[in-house]
Amino acid sequence: MRIKMGTVVPKMGTFVHLIDKPIDYRKAMAMALHEELGSTSRAIKMAMRWTGASERTVKYWLAGERGPSGDHLIALARHSDAVLFMLLALAGRHVVEDEGD
């Protein structure tokens, strides 16, 4: 029996802004990436450049099916404020920038 192979287009919908407690890591990272990059093929290419990850891997991240780990997560946080803030929120480490100094 032959297994049908192909590209699955992730479901994309209205972006829900950062909530106090994100649902889970994969969905939270997908939310942050959509906030930073949007949901176009340009977003995939940008995340690929930032991390060195494959196109399929980035599509999984954007779909919320898998989450970035290790070096990829660090590279994303280096380039994306949304990913960094989401990671801090997941860790319970909310950082407030001081504008008065």
Side-chain angles (χ1 to χ4, degrees):
M1 184 165 106
R2 186 165 188 239
I3 297 173
K4 184 179 177 183
M5 309 257 320
T7 304
V8 176
V9 179
K11 294 180 181 179
M12 309 259 179
T14 305
F15 179 78
V16 179
H17 292 281
L18 179 63
I19 55 177
D20 289 335
K21 294 186 180 180
I23 301 164
D24 72 359
Y25 171 70
R26 294 171 302 187
K27 292 185 189 307
M29 287 297 114
M31 230 182 345
L33 287 170
H34 281 290
E35 176 72 18
E36 187 78 27
L37 300 172
S39 57
T40 64
S41 61
R42 183 173 176 261
I44 295 168
K45 291 176 185 176
M46 184 64 69
M48 288 171 61
R49 274 188 227 113
W50 287 351
T51 62
S54 71
E55 179 179 2
R56 183 72 250 156
T57 298
V58 174
K59 285 181 180 180
Y60 280 134
W61 296 342
L62 288 169
E65 293 178 31
R66 298 182 184 160
S69 61
D71 293 339
H72 291 149
L73 180 59
I74 292 168
L76 287 171
R78 182 178 298 128
H79 292 281
S80 168
D81 288 340
V83 170
L84 177 61
F85 292 143
M86 184 65 76
L87 181 61
L88 291 171
L90 288 170
R93 303 289 305 256
H94 301 282
V95 176
V96 179
E97 294 181 20
D98 186 19
E99 297 178 21
D101 288 337

